[in-house]
Amino acid sequence: MAKKATPSTGKTPANTLTRGHKKKARTRRQLLDAALRIYAHAGVGGLALNTLAEEAGVSNGTVYNYFRSREQVLEAVGLELAVQLSEQILTVSEAVDSGAERLSIAVRTFMNKARTDPDWTRALITVVRYAEGMRSALATYLRADLQAGRRQGDFHYAHEEMAMSMVISATLGAMNLLVEDGEVEHADRIAAEMVLQALGVPRGEAGLIAGLPLPGEGG
Amino acid sequence: MAKKATPSTGKTPANTLTRGHKKKARTRRQLLDAALRIYAHAGVGGLALNTLAEEAGVSNGTVYNYFRSREQVLEAVGLELAVQLSEQILTVSEAVDSGAERLSIAVRTFMNKARTDPDWTRALITVVRYAEGMRSALATYLRADLQAGRRQGDFHYAHEEMAMSMVISATLGAMNLLVEDGEVEHADRIAAEMVLQALGVPRGEAGLIAGLPLPGEGG
Amino acid sequence: MAKKATPSTGKTPANTLTRGHKKKARTRRQLLDAALRIYAHAGVGGLALNTLAEEAGVSNGTVYNYFRSREQVLEAVGLELAVQLSEQILTVSEAVDSGAERLSIAVRTFMNKARTDPDWTRALITVVRYAEGMRSALATYLRADLQAGRRQGDFHYAHEEMAMSMVISATLGAMNLLVEDGEVEHADRIAAEMVLQALGVPRGEAGLIAGLPLPGEGG
Amino acid sequence: MAKKATPSTGKTPANTLTRGHKKKARTRRQLLDAALRIYAHAGVGGLALNTLAEEAGVSNGTVYNYFRSREQVLEAVGLELAVQLSEQILTVSEAVDSGAERLSIAVRTFMNKARTDPDWTRALITVVRYAEGMRSALATYLRADLQAGRRQGDFHYAHEEMAMSMVISATLGAMNLLVEDGEVEHADRIAAEMVLQALGVPRGEAGLIAGLPLPGEGG
DNA sequence: AATGAATGAGCGTTCATTCAT
DNA sequence: CATGAATGAACGCTCATTCAT
């Protein structure tokens, strides 16, 4: 979580990067971090490159050593968020087979992220609205869970695309509520329960699934 | 209201004031209509006042006879949409008492509107995202239905704000899917069914309610 | 010759222009005049729109009420010069039939213009170099004279395009010499004589033609 | 000369200094060649130092090891062209005494260069326009030939500066025609003939001189 | 000597806003 | 009220130049 540490994602061949490269990578990260922060508070339209540069602590011209245009900054931020998103999702529900449980875990994870990292969440909401491409990144993971849940007899939906749209927009809406209107007790479970029910899981069962302890929570 | 009582020209016939008012109202309407069209295609950021004036067939300066600033144009568009929204809702479910049915009718009405008037829909989606105030206009109607449905034993939700958020965002998400990704058979019923289920209506019952003929449809 | 008068070129239908139009036309003229002045001293590359606006006494944004882009400013200046050029040429050699005499008159007129209006001349030279299209404006007039001179047995050139290129570049070169290196006695006649000779007019005859009094000089 | 005697790596062989010098000279040449190529295609304004560095295969910072500023690059290119120019001229008309013949040879040599090396020619034209200093390099050689031709009774010009201006601009104009508008049969002789005639050489004689075989052509 | 990341002044352009007519 | 020319701040972007490595 340290802002400036994270010098290695674990996958980079150690000796590939010279010092110059390291510095370049760090500046790039500063820019992306700054962009996320601005997104969160000012939206897409509010990302002015001067502001971005200032927030990142570099001069305006420097931005163009890393991105060819404003458009590419937005793209890069979207990509960055998509990657972080994937990591969020993948790390959580690895060992779970039930589609319904996986979906519940995903929804609750995002809800909890909304509680603990409002900036990231606002940026995510902004980007999902702006870059339709982001939606497909989400959809990929989601579709697998929906289909699994249906095969396993838990989900009963009439139209897959509409089901996905429903899950995504409802979850984002709930995240937005959390971020903008403040705390709600057990918001994660409530959201998950509603989503499961929307997909045809009976009320009692939905409550049970949504109430399971999250993996890694030490339950 | 008028700062200057327009005593000016002298050769004004008796009904000038009326005419003036009519014309004034018409110009205002032209501006709002034009703004809606632009919103639909260019989003909030794309509403440039020069473009707006051109689209409305007036000169740029004229805009400032009706709105004090760009910000106020956006506000007015939001208000306008809210009013149209109210009309949409109120005209449909007047005679219905069941909260669940009313909600189903509302969702389906909006879904059908999305099919028949994509521009209006896109504008609505844009404005709802932009002007948080719009959400409360929606919420007013919605809350009554939710509470009625709960009283009547149909809805079982754990948190009213989250339930409202869920209904609004899921419906808007479904509308967006319709508008951007094209036709879906019975999209209105599917959406209504999912929303009802999310609120705790059992599967079979939700399907029944969502499948009722819409009032005024001549069924 | 007054900078700001010239309210009518004589051809504009008197009542067509409202006051607003007049003002717009005047500002446009201020911009073009300023552009010419800048061209003369700074060349094409030196025409910065901020500078242009300042020189014309308007704000930078105003430029864009008259030209869509920098490119269009340059085009407009070229066109303006071409028009002025045409007027220069047409008013002088109307009554003359001999191609050789007409050419001599043209060359000398331009040389005299170079002496009396160095700014205009520098701008012309700049524009001719930059906008190849200008060359054709010149070429149109020139070609007629060359062909007439040849028909009349005065000119003997092997290749018309090269002859035209020769006349144009030699004249512009001579104008440039005048403008940059200062006065030369009878520069106009000397230039005309050389050009005539280059086109095959014998030395004595060339001197005679180049020495004829210019029409309108009151000789 | 070197500020730091590059004592670095340790495994440098004896002739390192020579090699260093050679490399330095080679890099400088790469830069100048690249500059010429860019000049030819993009003009003076189009020479961006980043582009120059890339075209020369070095990094942008390296340019500043060879030139103090952009201005000095332009100067150096001018000088380089002047030197190459001198070589062009000097190698051709060494053994010729007649000023008229020498001038004819020079004009034709340049015309042929325009045919065989358009890039060099475009660069030359650009630089002559931009760097007035170049003109004097040309003038030096030219003046001698003009004066010789006059002494020998071939040339009859009224003003030496204007004669020089005429020769230079006419020749450059003809070269430009060749480079931009394509092939012309015997363009070199035609140009030389016109220039000679402009300087007072009678038509027949000018044709003869311009038609002489070029030295070194194996005639 | 070579590198290339960083700088920042300056440019072309847009656009909300004002105001004389 | 309507007009539309004028304004000027702000933006995206370029590029000559510097400097630590």
Side-chain angles (χ1 to χ4, degrees):
Chain A
M1 283 293 159
K3 261 185 194 169
K4 298 210 172 177
T6 59
S8 139
T9 61
K11 291 177 185 175
T12 43
N15 51 359
T16 296
L17 305 178
T18 68
R19 248 169 232 150
H21 282 135
K22 271 186 193 163
K23 184 172 187 187
K24 192 168 184 183
R26 206 182 62 215
T27 304
R28 202 189 141 87
R29 172 131 303 279
Q30 283 171 15
L31 283 168
L32 281 177
D33 287 350
L36 276 184
R37 259 171 279 142
I38 294 173
Y39 258 48
H41 292 110
V44 184
L47 195 150
L49 295 203
N50 280 332
T51 315
L52 174 59
E54 196 181 348
E55 176 85 21
V58 298
S59 103
N60 62 12
T62 299
V63 177
Y64 285 85
N65 289 332
Y66 295 89
F67 307 101
R68 276 217 181 99
S69 67
R70 184 179 184 272
E71 206 65 21
Q72 293 222 338
V73 176
L74 305 190
E75 267 181 47
V77 172
L79 191 61
E80 171 73 12
L81 269 169
V83 168
Q84 293 186 13
L85 209 74
S86 306
E87 289 170 2
Q88 292 292 327
I89 297 176
L90 286 177
T91 52
V92 187
S93 53
E94 262 177 322
V96 181
D97 286 329
S98 156
E101 280 183 43
R102 288 173 66 98
L103 185 63
S104 165
I105 292 170
V107 169
R108 292 175 61 197
T109 305
F110 276 82
M111 291 297 291
N112 290 330
K113 182 85 174 172
R115 227 184 46 223
T116 56
D117 195 341
D119 272 9
W120 184 89
T121 303
R122 286 198 189 92
L124 175 70
I125 292 172
T126 298
V127 169
V128 169
R129 283 172 181 167
Y130 179 76
E132 207 60 26
M134 270 291 311
R135 242 179 183 111
S136 37
L138 281 164
T140 302
Y141 297 99
L142 184 50
R143 180 173 271 117
D145 292 348
L146 283 185
Q147 291 174 346
R150 179 181 240 181
R151 265 196 322 271
Q152 293 153 358
D154 292 323
F155 292 162
H156 308 267
Y157 48 81
H159 193 278
E160 193 166 283
E161 296 305 315
M162 288 204 61
M164 289 204 299
S165 159
M166 196 277 171
V167 174
I168 292 176
S169 54
T171 307
L172 286 172
M175 291 168 81
N176 190 59
L177 181 71
L178 227 59
V179 161
E180 303 303 338
D181 290 19
E183 206 78 8
V184 168
E185 193 102 15
H186 299 308
D188 61 325
R189 291 194 210 164
I190 298 175
E193 190 182 4
M194 286 199 292
V195 166
L196 289 175
Q197 290 177 173
L199 294 172
V201 180
R203 189 138 57 87
E205 197 179 329
L208 279 179
I209 296 176
L212 290 174
L214 277 177
E217 263 197 347
Chain B
M1 266 300 150
K3 269 183 188 170
K4 296 179 181 180
T6 57
S8 51
T9 50
K11 45 180 171 177
T12 46
N15 54 354
T16 293
L17 204 107
T18 308
R19 270 203 201 143
H21 277 152
K22 271 188 191 163
K23 185 173 182 190
K24 189 171 176 182
R26 210 183 57 218
T27 305
R28 205 189 138 86
R29 171 133 304 277
Q30 283 170 11
L31 282 168
L32 283 176
D33 287 350
L36 275 185
R37 259 172 279 142
I38 295 174
Y39 258 50
H41 292 112
V44 185
L47 194 149
L49 293 203
N50 278 332
T51 314
L52 174 60
E54 196 182 349
E55 177 88 21
V58 299
S59 101
N60 63 10
T62 299
V63 177
Y64 283 84
N65 289 327
Y66 295 89
F67 307 102
R68 272 218 183 96
S69 70
R70 184 177 183 274
E71 208 62 23
Q72 293 221 339
V73 176
L74 305 190
E75 267 181 44
V77 172
L79 191 60
E80 170 73 11
L81 269 170
V83 168
Q84 293 187 15
L85 209 72
S86 308
E87 290 170 0
Q88 293 291 326
I89 298 175
L90 287 178
T91 53
V92 188
S93 53
E94 261 176 323
V96 181
D97 286 329
S98 155
E101 280 183 41
R102 289 174 67 97
L103 184 64
S104 165
I105 291 169
V107 169
R108 290 175 62 198
T109 305
F110 277 81
M111 290 297 289
N112 289 329
K113 183 85 174 171
R115 226 185 46 223
T116 57
D117 195 343
D119 272 10
W120 185 88
T121 304
R122 286 198 188 91
L124 176 69
I125 293 174
T126 298
V127 169
V128 169
R129 283 171 181 166
Y130 179 76
E132 206 61 26
M134 268 293 309
R135 245 185 181 105
S136 39
L138 280 164
T140 303
Y141 298 98
L142 184 51
R143 191 183 304 272
D145 292 348
L146 282 184
Q147 291 174 346
R150 178 181 242 179
R151 266 198 321 272
Q152 292 152 357
D154 292 322
F155 293 161
H156 308 266
Y157 48 81
H159 192 278
E160 192 167 282
E161 297 305 315
M162 289 204 60
M164 290 204 299
S165 159
M166 196 276 171
V167 174
I168 292 175
S169 55
T171 306
L172 286 172
M175 291 169 81
N176 189 59
L177 181 72
L178 227 57
V179 161
E180 303 304 338
D181 290 20
E183 207 77 7
V184 168
E185 193 103 14
H186 300 308
D188 61 326
R189 291 193 211 165
I190 297 176
E193 190 182 5
M194 286 198 293
V195 167
L196 290 175
Q197 289 177 173
L199 294 172
V201 181
R203 188 139 57 89
E205 198 179 329
L208 277 178
I209 297 177
L212 289 175
L214 278 178
E217 263 198 347
Chain C
M1 281 294 162
K3 261 186 193 168
K4 299 211 171 175
T6 58
S8 140
T9 61
K11 290 179 187 174
T12 44
N15 52 358
T16 296
L17 304 179
T18 68
R19 250 172 229 145
H21 282 134
K22 271 186 192 163
K23 185 172 186 188
K24 190 166 184 184
R26 206 183 61 216
T27 305
R28 203 190 140 87
R29 172 131 304 280
Q30 283 171 13
L31 283 168
L32 281 176
D33 287 351
L36 277 184
R37 260 172 277 142
I38 295 174
Y39 259 48
H41 292 111
V44 184
L47 195 150
L49 295 203
N50 281 333
T51 317
L52 173 59
E54 196 181 349
E55 177 86 20
V58 298
S59 103
N60 62 10
T62 298
V63 177
Y64 285 84
N65 290 332
Y66 295 90
F67 308 102
R68 277 221 181 94
S69 67
R70 184 177 184 273
E71 206 64 20
Q72 292 222 338
V73 176
L74 305 191
E75 267 182 45
V77 172
L79 190 61
E80 170 74 10
L81 270 169
V83 169
Q84 292 186 14
L85 207 75
S86 306
E87 290 171 1
Q88 294 291 326
I89 298 175
L90 287 177
T91 53
V92 187
S93 54
E94 262 176 321
V96 181
D97 287 330
S98 156
E101 282 183 40
R102 288 172 67 96
L103 184 63
S104 164
I105 292 170
V107 169
R108 291 175 61 197
T109 305
F110 276 82
M111 291 297 291
N112 289 330
K113 182 83 175 172
R115 226 184 46 223
T116 57
D117 196 342
D119 272 8
W120 185 89
T121 304
R122 286 197 189 93
L124 176 70
I125 292 173
T126 299
V127 169
V128 169
R129 283 172 182 166
Y130 179 75
E132 207 60 27
M134 270 291 310
R135 242 179 183 112
S136 38
L138 282 164
T140 302
Y141 298 98
L142 183 51
R143 180 172 271 117
D145 291 350
L146 283 185
Q147 291 175 347
R150 179 181 239 179
R151 264 198 321 272
Q152 291 153 359
D154 293 323
F155 293 162
H156 308 265
Y157 49 80
H159 193 277
E160 194 167 280
E161 296 304 316
M162 289 203 60
M164 290 205 298
S165 158
M166 196 274 172
V167 174
I168 291 175
S169 54
T171 307
L172 285 172
M175 290 169 80
N176 190 60
L177 181 72
L178 227 59
V179 160
E180 302 304 339
D181 291 18
E183 206 78 8
V184 168
E185 193 103 14
H186 300 307
D188 62 325
R189 291 194 212 163
I190 298 175
E193 189 181 7
M194 286 199 292
V195 167
L196 290 175
Q197 289 177 173
L199 293 172
V201 181
R203 188 138 58 88
E205 198 179 328
L208 278 178
I209 296 176
L212 289 174
L214 277 178
E217 264 198 346
Chain D
M1 272 295 153
K3 269 182 187 170
K4 297 179 179 181
T6 58
S8 52
T9 51
K11 45 180 169 177
T12 45
N15 52 357
T16 292
L17 205 107
T18 308
R19 272 204 197 142
H21 276 154
K22 271 187 190 165
K23 185 174 184 189
K24 188 170 177 181
R26 208 183 58 217
T27 304
R28 205 190 136 86
R29 170 132 305 278
Q30 282 169 11
L31 283 168
L32 283 176
D33 287 350
L36 275 184
R37 259 171 279 142
I38 295 173
Y39 258 50
H41 291 112
V44 185
L47 195 149
L49 294 204
N50 278 331
T51 314
L52 173 61
E54 196 182 348
E55 177 88 22
V58 299
S59 101
N60 63 9
T62 300
V63 176
Y64 284 83
N65 290 328
Y66 294 89
F67 307 101
R68 271 217 184 98
S69 70
R70 185 177 182 273
E71 208 62 22
Q72 293 221 339
V73 176
L74 305 190
E75 268 182 45
V77 172
L79 190 61
E80 170 72 11
L81 268 170
V83 168
Q84 292 185 16
L85 208 75
S86 307
E87 289 170 1
Q88 292 292 325
I89 299 176
L90 287 178
T91 52
V92 188
S93 54
E94 264 178 322
V96 181
D97 287 330
S98 155
E101 281 183 41
R102 288 174 67 97
L103 184 64
S104 165
I105 291 170
V107 169
R108 290 175 62 197
T109 304
F110 276 83
M111 291 297 290
N112 289 331
K113 183 85 175 172
R115 226 185 45 224
T116 56
D117 196 342
D119 272 9
W120 185 88
T121 304
R122 286 197 188 92
L124 176 69
I125 292 173
T126 298
V127 169
V128 169
R129 284 171 180 168
Y130 180 76
E132 206 61 26
M134 269 291 311
R135 245 182 180 106
S136 37
L138 280 164
T140 303
Y141 298 97
L142 183 52
R143 192 185 302 272
D145 291 348
L146 282 184
Q147 290 174 347
R150 179 181 239 178
R151 267 198 320 273
Q152 293 152 359
D154 291 323
F155 293 161
H156 308 267
Y157 48 80
H159 193 279
E160 192 167 283
E161 296 306 316
M162 287 204 61
M164 289 204 299
S165 158
M166 197 276 171
V167 174
I168 291 175
S169 55
T171 306
L172 285 171
M175 290 169 80
N176 190 59
L177 181 71
L178 227 57
V179 162
E180 302 303 338
D181 290 20
E183 207 77 8
V184 168
E185 194 105 13
H186 300 308
D188 62 325
R189 291 194 211 164
I190 298 175
E193 190 181 4
M194 287 198 292
V195 166
L196 290 176
Q197 289 177 175
L199 294 172
V201 180
R203 188 137 59 87
E205 197 179 330
L208 278 178
I209 297 176
L212 290 174
L214 278 177
E217 264 198 346

